[in-house]
Amino acid sequence: MEHPENNEEYKGLAVNKGIEQPSSVNPYLKRKPKKRLFTVADYVEGIVKGNITILSQAVTLVESVKPEHQSIAQEVIEKCLPYSGRSIRVGISGVPGAGKSTSIDVFGLHVLEKGGKLAVLAIDPSSERSKGSILGDKTRMEQLSVHPASFIRPSPSAGSLGGVARKTRETIILCEAAGFDKIFVETVGVGQSETAVHSMVDFFLLIQLAGTGDELQGIKRGIMEMADGIVINKADGSNIDKAKLAAAQFRNALHLFPAPDSGWTPKVLTYSGFYNLGVKEIWDMVYEYMDFVKANGYFDYRRNEQSKYWMYESINEQLRDSFYQNAQIEQMLGEKEQQVLNGNLTSFVAAKKLLDTYFEELRK
Ligand code: GDP
């Protein structure tokens, strides 16, 4: 290599010729292998064999917003469908502080006593806003999180409640294909997420506390109507009597509701998750319910209804996304909104103009 500094005019400067650069600093040093991309068949094979790493990666694809991930995910789900369905799915709801994590930890150990595998999933629509899911922290379930037969997955975070719920439902399918025969879906008992959970489980368990005044709210929000079992937690120490009283109140309140389609009369029990008291009775109830609804046909009926519900939900979600993600619509939305706010356009006309534009865009 020529060094211009060695020119006559730069007196007192001399740059030595360097040594040749070796082709590789260390030929034995292995390059970090590129992360291998799995094919749909790889995912399905791994999942069906019960490979947890591959299952987790597939769930990540389900949760991804990238269209290319979604298309692989949908194929994987479709291929896993024939292996799914053979589980009991239990929704567990309760306000923050009701003792969900403590309870799920002991519930999980209880249902795993007889073997099998348990997946704990969650629906927490607040997780995107708070950027940290209330239900996301695995360490909340200390014993279960280190149990070899458990798989704990925090709530998917992106998108609307409908989107989050769909992803959880799809994750159920993958988990079942991976041999998980018990699925818990946890949700915070504060809003519409219960409806979403109810639409994907066989049994909906509502955790309540004594004497919080929440009982009435549960009635108002229609959550109690969905419950197949109401369990009053923290029935320990000086709280036992209060819990029993609350149980009696709940039993009375349940009489106000029309009898559920399942023909099952929801039960109210008291327990202590922390001291592991009354947990067996709760699961005896769940298993009794399963036998009952399997015998009278409601189990299959409910699952079919849920499949139907999710078909329409998926249609709605995709139509909505396709509309709002359309470039032309994105451009027009703000302007139309402003015109409505200024009183220059009625809401109805604005909506029609946007929809007409969208349909025209589709024809292009
Ligand atoms: P989550 O927000 O619904 O998940 O509730 P946690 O499981 O985090 O419990 C909230 C608080 O209640 C914690 O301080 C627990 O130790 C306490 N707790 C949970 N279960 C019981 C119980 O059965 N008895 C008593 N006394 N406290 C409990």
Side-chain angles (χ1 to χ4, degrees):
M1 190 179 169
E2 275 303 306
H3 291 284
E5 300 94 322
N6 289 348
N7 193 303
E8 286 284 286
E9 62 180 292
Y10 303 116
K11 290 209 168 46
L13 263 181
V15 178
N16 291 333
K17 219 176 165 194
I19 55 160
E20 282 295 313
Q21 184 76 9
S23 61
S24 163
V25 178
N26 176 358
Y28 301 105
L29 192 75
K30 283 216 177 95
R31 283 197 168 201
K32 208 175 156 201
K34 261 196 166 176
K35 203 173 170 191
R36 202 179 135 225
L37 287 177
F38 291 121
T39 63
V40 169
D42 291 336
Y43 278 115
V44 177
E45 195 191 325
I47 290 171
V48 172
K49 280 188 179 156
N51 182 320
I52 297 296
T53 314
I54 295 185
L55 172 67
S56 302
Q57 288 177 6
V59 173
T60 305
L61 284 188
V62 166
E63 292 174 354
S64 168
V65 287
K66 287 191 182 158
E68 63 269 29
H69 290 169
Q70 271 304 310
S71 70
I72 302 177
Q74 292 309 320
E75 268 190 72
V76 173
I77 293 163
E78 202 184 314
K79 297 224 159 58
C80 282
L81 260 180
Y83 303 98
S84 73
R86 289 183 285 270
S87 75
I88 57 166
R89 308 168 181 165
V90 179
I92 299 175
S93 180
V95 293
K100 290 182 297 302
S101 346
T102 316
S103 303
I104 290 175
D105 211 22
V106 292
F107 290 171
L109 294 184
H110 179 83
V111 300
L112 286 173
E113 264 172 22
K114 287 189 198 134
K117 297 204 286 181
L118 167 70
V120 180
L121 313 175
I123 292 185
D124 176 6
S126 66
S127 60
E128 185 168 45
R129 240 179 304 133
S130 58
K131 289 290 172 218
S133 168
I134 307 176
L135 305 178
D137 185 3
K138 283 189 191 183
T139 55
R140 294 182 313 128
M141 295 152 203
E142 274 177 24
Q143 304 177 75
L144 209 52
S145 58
V146 293
H147 196 292
S150 82
F151 175 70
I152 302 177
R153 186 85 187 185
S155 173
S157 62
S160 61
L161 170 61
V164 171
R166 175 183 57 78
K167 289 170 189 172
T168 302
R169 184 172 147 88
E170 291 174 348
T171 301
I172 293 180
I173 293 168
L174 300 187
C175 290
E176 288 177 349
F180 287 86
D181 58 342
K182 298 160 192 78
I183 312 276
F184 290 176
V185 186
E186 180 187 5
T187 190
V188 204
V190 288
Q192 291 177 322
S193 46
E194 285 77 18
T195 319
V197 173
H198 188 251
S199 65
M200 62 181 82
V201 297
D202 306 313
F203 189 98
F204 188 81
L205 186 70
L206 181 61
I207 299 181
Q208 293 277 22
L209 292 176
T212 55
D214 248 21
E215 297 88 333
L216 265 181
Q217 286 179 29
I219 296 173
K220 271 195 212 143
R221 282 187 264 117
I223 295 173
M224 268 181 69
E225 271 174 280
M226 285 188 267
D228 301 298
I230 295 177
V231 287
I232 300 164
N233 191 16
K234 309 196 188 181
D236 45 50
S238 58
N239 210 25
I240 295 183
D241 288 340
K242 262 196 268 171
K244 282 190 180 152
L245 185 66
Q249 287 167 345
F250 276 114
R251 279 187 205 109
N252 283 336
L254 280 174
H255 289 310
L256 303 173
F257 300 126
D261 295 344
S262 58
W264 166 262
T265 312
K267 291 195 174 173
V268 183
L269 301 172
T270 60
Y271 79 109
S272 166
F274 193 80
Y275 295 101
N276 202 346
L277 301 167
V279 170
K280 180 181 178 298
E281 286 73 7
I282 294 177
W283 290 91
D284 286 349
M285 163 179 72
V286 175
Y287 294 133
E288 190 193 331
Y289 170 89
M290 293 295 169
D291 289 343
F292 180 81
V293 291
K294 277 184 181 165
N296 75 3
Y298 184 77
F299 182 87
D300 289 328
Y301 169 80
R302 181 154 161 177
R303 285 210 173 172
N304 286 338
E305 285 295 303
Q306 290 172 340
S307 299
K308 221 162 71 181
Y309 170 86
W310 282 101
M311 182 183 96
Y312 288 107
E313 272 298 298
S314 302
I315 293 174
N316 292 345
E317 192 194 339
Q318 283 178 41
L319 281 177
R320 209 179 303 127
D321 286 353
S322 158
F323 176 78
Y324 286 109
Q325 285 164 11
N326 182 289
Q328 191 68 26
I329 296 299
E330 273 184 353
Q331 259 185 12
M332 282 174 71
L333 263 179
E335 176 204 347
K336 288 283 168 278
E337 191 184 300
Q338 206 49 52
Q339 288 174 343
V340 170
L341 292 178
N342 294 344
N344 296 333
L345 217 55
T346 68
S347 318
F348 180 77
V349 173
K352 181 157 177 2
K353 284 197 168 162
L354 284 160
L355 283 167
D356 286 347
T357 311
Y358 173 68
F359 292 130
E360 257 168 49
E361 285 289 299
L362 287 187
R363 269 185 231 113
K364 276 184 191 165

